[in-house]
Amino acid sequence: MILTVTLNTALDITYRVPALRTHAAHRVSEVTERPGGKGLNVARVLAAVGHEVTVTGFTGGATGRVVQEQLSAVAGVVDALVPVAGATRRTIAVMDDRTGDTTQLNEPGPTVTSAEWAAFQEVYGELLPSVSAVALCGSLPPGVPVGAYAGLIRTARAAGVPVLLDTSGEPLRRGVAARPDVVKPNAEELAELTGSHEPVRGAMDARRRGAHAVVASLGADGLLAVTPEGRWRATPPTRVRGNPTGAGDSAVAGLLSGLAEHLPWPDRLARALALSTASVLAPVAGEFIRSVYEELLDGVAVTGEASAA
């Protein structure tokens, strides 16, 4: 069982319009709703590739009830979300059919009380003994301490559970210092963390700051991994256009599944990049086109070398 943590869950709403124009009214050609937030997206992809997943975090209000109702229909995903008094946020993605681009609007999320945060920490501690890996994903809702992920990393490490961190800003900075097994920033987040715009240098610096391994998303240029076992870069066989929302979450799912299956790093990266690329072509976050994924899996180029023993 893999555990994903989404402290700021969401109901992801996607609108498709023929062409998005400022200062204009639009007719929406299609609307979809899905449980969202980074960890829930990761969980859906993990379940789709055959892993059992438990999801936890916060949920509340009418929007939270919709999220939980829809989660109950996802095979392989167990709901361990913790209730709060506030309402779960919504995120709005507007897909422009003319350009293929997506515009994203994200609400901040409910304010979490100290009692609700304490209740979550209790649930989290109870779940850890039964899981093989945990992913801590996304933004923090108002009221949650900025060092929350650092504390959750230390709790997982004390339980002997490997942990992947996927967040940004000060929560990432503090989380890295708690020595997670893997961090997965994008290029911008890595530069903000380390001050370096050169990905290899930035990843090496993130390791010096505490991360055991660093996997950086480089957009269309693929993935970079700097680990104790070696350094590798994975590049896609072709560039694709579509909805990039959730592509990083699919990469996390690939990395976590590879970790749970004890795959070598090059195989983890190939899976992560194939899933990420296949998700760009899917209409909503947390999904991927299986035929594209299977075709890409053999076409991803992974270069680099293992460290000397």
Side-chain angles (χ1 to χ4, degrees):
M1 180 77 73
I2 294 173
L3 176 65
T4 70
V5 174
T6 314
L7 296 178
N8 210 3
T9 55
L11 180 66
D12 286 344
I13 303 169
T14 303
Y15 295 135
R16 296 184 70 103
V17 298
L20 182 62
R21 302 181 304 276
T22 59
H23 312 298
H26 296 78
R27 287 194 177 275
V28 176
S29 59
E30 182 182 346
V31 181
T32 57
E33 290 185 348
R34 293 290 189 279
K38 295 178 75 64
L40 297 190
N41 293 336
V42 171
R44 280 204 304 278
V45 175
L46 281 168
V49 296
H51 285 272
E52 293 186 346
V53 193
T54 295
V55 297
T56 191
F58 295 113
T59 183
T63 307
R65 288 192 292 274
V66 173
V67 166
Q68 291 188 284
E69 287 170 5
Q70 294 192 4
L71 268 181
S72 67
V74 182
V77 175
V78 176
D79 177 357
L81 294 168
V82 176
V84 294
T88 295
R89 66 187 177 130
R90 295 161 297 178
T91 68
I92 310 296
V94 184
M95 293 185 62
D96 185 327
D97 288 336
R98 177 176 56 87
T99 64
D101 294 332
T102 301
T103 299
Q104 190 82 15
L105 303 172
N106 297 330
E107 295 179 357
T111 298
V112 176
T113 68
S114 57
E116 290 166 342
W117 174 235
F120 167 80
Q121 290 176 283
E122 183 175 351
V123 169
Y124 177 74
E126 292 171 350
L127 290 169
L128 285 175
S130 63
V131 304
S132 58
V134 58
L136 308 175
C137 302
S139 62
L140 301 179
V144 172
V146 70
Y149 284 138
L152 297 180
I153 290 166
R154 287 190 287 267
T155 302
R157 288 178 58 83
V161 179
V163 56
L164 182 152
L165 177 63
D166 183 14
T167 188
S168 60
E170 189 62 21
L172 174 61
R173 188 180 307 278
R174 297 198 187 193
V176 164
R179 305 185 65 79
D181 294 88
V182 183
V183 294
K184 198 218 70 62
N186 61 32
E188 181 180 345
E189 291 161 351
L190 183 62
E192 182 183 6
L193 172 67
T194 66
S196 175
H197 291 272
E198 201 292 306
V200 172
R201 184 175 298 132
M204 293 174 65
D205 183 58
R207 288 201 63 222
R208 285 191 291 269
R209 291 168 183 257
H212 187 70
V214 179
V215 179
S217 296
L218 306 179
D221 292 326
L223 297 173
L224 167 71
V226 178
T227 81
E229 291 80 19
R231 184 186 306 173
W232 293 273
R233 189 184 291 265
T235 54
T238 184
R239 293 178 180 243
V240 298
R241 292 181 64 86
N243 180 8
T245 307
D249 305 332
S250 293
V252 169
L255 294 171
L256 274 174
S257 65
L259 174 64
E261 297 170 29
H262 306 289
L263 295 181
W265 270 106
D267 293 343
R268 296 185 203 181
L269 291 177
R271 180 181 292 182
L273 186 56
L275 281 171
S276 177
T277 305
S279 74
V280 170
L281 298 173
V284 293
E287 296 185 359
F288 64 96
I289 299 177
R290 186 172 295 275
S291 60
V292 174
Y293 162 63
E294 292 172 349
E295 180 180 348
L296 287 172
L297 194 56
D298 292 329
V300 171
V302 181
T303 58
E305 59 183 6
S307 300

